[in-house]
Amino acid sequence: VQLQASGGGSVQPGGSLRLSCASSGHTSDYYAIAWFRQAPGKEREGVSCIGMRDGSTYYADSVKGRFTTSRDNAKNTVYLEMNNLKPEDTATYYCASDEQPRLGPDCDRSGLAHAMDYWGKGTQVTVSS
């Protein structure tokens, strides 16, 4: 499985960005793609997750109402639409997945990052005035 994230950049507070994660190599559609982020000096944080089979989602409390994740199964691509960005959203963002059957809500668990087998390269998001 390969994942490729793109779409990061620099925006002012209140701005928007859309990240993409293109995947290839999964053997079925019963898996999830999760977004994580890590800021310098901070622990990696799960941001959101989407089940590719049914589009069900999970969001961390810190991004609920501001971030939306969606999928395009025809393109095997997941998107993370980030609105009303705040300086504390500044981080390197990663998409990740594994081969376990998951729907979005299945991502609401501790230690999810350790369960992910496949990671895309990070993409930097910087929110600053």
Side-chain angles (χ1 to χ4, degrees):
V1 172
Q2 293 187 329
L3 302 169
Q4 185 169 0
S6 61
S10 296
V11 294
Q12 294 185 340
S16 298
L17 282 172
R18 188 176 81 157
L19 306 183
S20 299
C21 177
S23 69
S24 62
H26 282 93
T27 57
S28 79
D29 68 347
Y30 198 5
Y31 65 95
I33 290 182
W35 288 97
F36 296 85
R37 66 186 180 186
Q38 189 164 22
K42 294 190 176 180
E43 291 188 359
R44 184 169 44 193
E45 175 190 13
V47 174
S48 74
C49 186
I50 186 165
M52 297 301 283
R53 172 163 287 189
D54 67 350
S56 57
T57 56
Y58 159 78
Y59 298 97
D61 288 342
S62 57
V63 304
K64 274 181 185 176
R66 300 188 299 121
F67 289 14
T68 302
T69 187
S70 60
R71 80 201 195 288
D72 183 336
N73 286 67
K75 296 181 179 180
N76 289 325
T77 298
V78 166
Y79 304 98
L80 183 66
E81 186 76 34
M82 305 183 294
N83 297 315
N84 190 22
L85 282 161
K86 304 176 180 181
E88 52 264 42
D89 295 316
T90 296
T92 302
Y93 284 69
Y94 302 87
C95 57
S97 187
D98 63 357
E99 293 279 23
Q100 294 300 309
R102 297 186 197 277
L103 301 177
D106 296 328
C107 295
D108 184 11
R109 51 156 286 187
S110 61
L112 180 67
H114 297 292
M116 298 287 103
D117 293 321
Y118 311 110
W119 292 80
K121 286 186 177 180
T123 184
Q124 179 67 34
V125 171
T126 302
V127 185
S128 173
S129 55

